Amino acid sequence: MSTFDDPFDADRALSRSGCVCGQHRSAAEHETLALRCEPVESEQKRYEGVVASAVVRAMFPRDAARRAFLKSVGAATALAAISQFFPLKTATEAFAEAGTPEKKDLKVGFIPITCATPIIMAAPLGFYAKYGLNVEVVKTAGWAVIRDKTINKEYDASHMLAPMPIAISLGLGATAIPFAVPAIENINGQGIVLAMKHKDKRDPRDWKGMKFAIPFDYSMHNYLLRYYLAEHGLDPDTDVQLRSVPPPEMVANLRADNIDGFLAPDNICQRAIFDGVGFMHLLSKEIWDGHPCCSFAASREFITTSPNSFAALTRAIVDATAYASKAENRKQIAEAIAPANYINAPVTVLEQVLTGTYADGLGGVKTDARRVDFDPFPWQSFAVWMLTQMKRWGQIKGDVDYKAVAEQVYLATDTRKVMAEMGLTPPQASYKSFSVMGKTFDPATPDDYLASFKIRKAS
Amino acid sequence: MTFSLRFRAAIVSIALFVAFIGIWHIATRGTATVATMTPEYAKLMGLTATQGKSAMPGPLDVGAKLWEHLKRPFYDNGPNDKGLGIQLGYSIARVGLGYFLAVIVAIPLGFLIGMSPLINKALDPFIQVLKPISPLAWMPLALYTIKDSSISAIFVIFICSVWPMLLNTAFGVAAVRKEWINVARTLEVGTVRRAFTVILPAAAPTILTGMRISIGIAWLVIVAAEMLVGGTGIGYFVWNEWNNLSITNVIIAILLIGIVGMLLDQILARFTRMVTFPE
């Protein structure tokens, strides 16, 4: 849809043949360039384009007439002429004011890890303010507490692990309350860290009897570590010990030799390396490149009672995520989120995580710009995959309507709309196939996928 | 020439303190061997890894950091970063509120229990069961039912400080000498007047002892409760610094918690002395 075409360009068709972002003449041209179009200079400019397109389209229903008119008088004259009769400026302002937020002062909870980057940075870098919100980001003591405080409505929305809203909606480990995810906070950005004494035990087959820490039961960390171990023939329930441990205690426990390793957010991994107590065995992106980790979640109740606030929040988060996805902004972001008010970690550690140039703990410096990445689109196939793993490890018993749950919790359609309005390029589909450790996952046949695993909890 | 006991005790205290700091300083000096590493790698690593600095801070680190905190105790850098003075203020306010509510409930109820053997017997089983419950065990229940973390913390303070006061009040009231009550009776003093003029002064030292035990427990609990729910307070500060693995700040917080706890205890000890009378 060419919503953002320049209506005063005589050579352009004001039809719907352009690309999604409106900056390219055709979808094909758009495709050949980057995945995402360059954002228009300013919000104002973008809205101006939308309004002017609509006006010009109304005045010249036939495109040939418009082109003839523009060619004869020129774009500037045409703009002046139209502005005389139709207050383009006023109309633009009216349009830009997308529904006033019902509630401007909002509280958003977060856990101090780099996964929360878009949520946190949106405060110091002014993304919330840009969308007319006054958001207080509140550091929270742990995943269970963030769950309870969001259910209790102390927080309007929260940083959650991607599987948590699904678990809460299904009533796993909490009362069943419908929750929804308008945006994925980050993709990749985790790692497996082992204690220094295991530096020669790089084959997971040798890990029998070891103790590992994960942050929470309903987490990608849990599913990825279990997946990784099972692919190497270890039954995560019997061959190793998995413990739920809050991230800072993981580093302390590793130092105290209470655990042998952990799968945790990158900044915790890097912190263990920074302090010289562990080394990076592998990045989670080596298990599944592009896997979701944390999400931005709110209760259905909040969405229905304050739809405009929710939309503004989603815009702010999506905008911040787009900003964070650019490599050149990462250093600035690391500095913005390092102070005690936010993550409270050494800037060096956050910089290593966000820029992807990091010490591996074994004396080498590695570079991987996509070590942690940001892409807000909540693929419903991600939710289906998480449901297969919840079933695989006995968290869900009985039959699951994968599609229904995924579509109820992961708001792909709404996010697509918001992204398109913002001039970003959301994917057209809500499901995609991907591969985890070389094994392809087809979201259309989750039960077959589940049945294909040899190691799983019998249920 | 002999010095007063007080003076000699002070000398021993100072000697112990100096010895403690000395041992601490020596124990935390960097002694670990430093691995050889390339400069660009070393730039990405912390001091523990590059210079063999002990993971445990020494007394000098703690002192420097403490001075930094004391220089600006009331700064406010947003919802998650406030000065130590503000954090302590939040904790003391919570403790004060919960404790005040406990006083309002425990002392009249304790009076009633102490004065009436029937109520004493009837309520005894409940008190005995509720008293030994760890305050933090109430926390999840409180969070779940009250649905507000700040009020939950206050509730936990209330529930844990109520029992020592209740039991001490009841005990103090029941132990008032029978002679005194009988004298009051012969003088035909009414029940309410008797409670205020005879029983209250006689039981006051015991009641205040109960209050003193309670404030100690309340202060113990607030730190743990704030670590659990987060937000504000000295407990939250400990958790936040632990999150950053800053042992220096954790030690400073521990020191301050100890000092504030001591002050609270001393205030009530002074009150106790004021109401105690020689028989």
Side-chain angles (χ1 to χ4, degrees), chain A residues 200-448:
Chain A
D200 301 319
K201 271 203 207 163
R202 298 300 291 272
D203 186 351
R205 274 168 257 272
D206 302 334
W207 292 358
K208 226 172 186 173
M210 297 212 322
K211 286 174 276 197
F212 291 96
I214 46 162
F216 198 67
D217 278 347
Y218 302 100
S219 67
M220 286 304 292
H221 310 88
N222 187 17
Y223 306 140
L224 288 175
L225 183 59
R226 283 170 175 268
Y227 193 105
Y228 182 73
L229 292 169
E231 287 297 291
H232 287 93
L234 292 176
D235 184 333
D237 282 311
T238 53
D239 292 337
V240 295
Q241 234 189 71
L242 296 186
R243 298 178 182 172
S244 266
V245 175
E249 280 162 41
M250 289 180 181
V251 180
N253 272 306
L254 199 64
R255 190 198 297 280
D257 212 8
N258 280 341
I259 52 173
D260 297 284
F262 54 74
L263 197 152
D266 261 354
N267 60 313
I268 302 298
C269 297
Q270 201 59 47
R271 185 61 197 261
I273 295 168
F274 181 78
D275 283 355
V277 296
F279 68 92
M280 187 71 84
H281 169 69
L282 96 171
L283 297 175
S284 62
K285 80 185 270 273
E286 296 169 58
I287 300 175
W288 167 5
D289 192 6
H291 73 79
C293 179
C294 287
S295 65
F296 181 71
S299 68
R300 279 267 169 194
E301 196 191 328
F302 174 70
I303 302 175
T304 34
T305 53
S306 317
N308 293 343
S309 299
F310 175 74
L313 259 182
T314 308
R315 283 197 180 91
I317 296 288
V318 168
D319 202 359
T321 313
Y323 187 81
S325 71
K326 294 206 175 65
E328 68 268 23
N329 298 333
R330 298 276 180 89
K331 261 203 157 138
Q332 180 208 2
I333 294 170
E335 266 162 48
I337 62 177
N341 198 23
Y342 303 113
I343 292 191
N344 195 19
V347 183
T348 341
V349 170
L350 297 187
E351 240 180 54
Q352 291 183 57
V353 172
L354 291 172
T355 61
T357 301
Y358 64 98
D360 65 356
L362 295 170
V365 177
K366 290 198 171 160
T367 303
D368 189 339
R370 296 196 62 234
R371 173 183 179 172
V372 59
D373 210 350
F374 302 92
D375 180 357
F377 192 71
W379 289 97
Q380 283 162 348
S381 44
F382 286 169
V384 174
W385 187 85
M386 289 171 216
L387 285 165
T388 63
Q389 300 304 303
M390 288 177 176
K391 248 188 116 166
R392 179 179 181 187
W393 304 115
Q395 289 178 334
I396 303 180
K397 308 252 185 307
D399 282 335
V400 190
D401 188 344
Y402 297 95
K403 240 180 131 192
V405 176
E407 277 158 29
Q408 190 211 341
V409 181
Y410 276 46
L411 305 179
T413 318
D414 305 57
T415 310
R416 184 177 300 122
K417 215 175 110 222
V418 167
M419 286 176 79
E421 278 170 16
M422 294 176 64
L424 300 170
T425 317
Q428 292 305 308
S430 301
Y431 290 88
K432 68 170 173 183
S433 168
F434 44 79
S435 88
V436 185
M437 289 182 82
K439 187 177 172 124
T440 309
F441 168 67
D442 178 3
T445 53
D447 275 319
D448 297 345

Side-chain angles (χ1 to χ4, degrees), chain A residues 23 29 307 324 423:
Chain A
Q23 290 167 32
E29 187 186 334

Side-chain angles (χ1 to χ4, degrees), chain B residues 59-211:
Chain B
L60 294 177
D61 302 319
V62 174
K65 196 89 200 165
L66 181 63
W67 178 236
E68 227 173 86
H69 281 299
L70 292 180
K71 266 197 304 196
R72 33 184 233 129
F74 297 110
Y75 72 87
D76 188 344
N77 284 352
N80 310 307
D81 183 19
K82 298 184 199 300
L84 269 175
I86 296 181
Q87 305 284 25
L88 280 171
Y90 271 107
S91 297
I92 293 171
R94 276 188 196 128
V95 165
L97 191 55
Y99 183 74
F100 176 68
L101 291 174
V103 170
I104 295 180
V105 172
I107 293 182
L109 195 61
F111 247 82
L112 197 65
I113 294 171
M115 288 172 79
S116 154
L118 171 73
I119 295 185
N120 186 359
K121 281 230 155 31
L123 290 186
D124 193 55
F126 299 105
I127 296 175
Q128 295 308 330
V129 169
L130 290 172
K131 188 183 61 164
I133 296 171
S134 159
L136 283 186
W138 291 104
M139 200 71 213
L141 194 65
L143 264 181
Y144 197 80
T145 46
I146 299 175
K147 302 194 179 220
D148 182 295
S149 49
S150 203
I151 300 177
S152 301
I154 293 167
F155 167 78
V156 170
I157 297 295
F158 165 81
I159 201 86
C160 72
S161 43
V162 89
W163 310 117
M165 274 194 261
L166 188 67
L167 289 175
N168 268 282
T169 308
F171 173 75
V173 169
V176 173
R177 286 213 203 151
K178 287 286 160 293
E179 297 94 315
W180 297 350
I181 293 178
N182 288 336
V183 169
R185 234 182 233 141
T186 25
L187 293 174
E188 293 189 353
V189 177
T191 324
V192 176
R193 203 169 154 213
R194 192 167 75 219
F196 277 98
T197 53
V198 179
I199 300 176
L200 184 61
T206 328
I207 295 174
L208 271 156
T209 308
M211 288 172 72

Side-chain angles (χ1 to χ4, degrees), chain A residues 61-73:
Chain A
R62 277 182 55 234
D63 219 31
R66 177 185 66 95
R67 291 190 195 188
F69 173 66
L70 285 171
K71 282 212 169 109
S72 61
V73 302

Side-chain angles (χ1 to χ4, degrees), chain B residues 180 200-209 212 268-279:
Chain B
W180 297 350
L200 184 61
T206 328
I207 295 174
L208 271 156
T209 308
R212 195 175 157 190
L268 279 160
R270 175 147 297 183
F271 280 131
T272 316
R273 277 199 296 279
M274 273 160 60
V275 297
T276 309
F277 52 88
E279 279 181 23

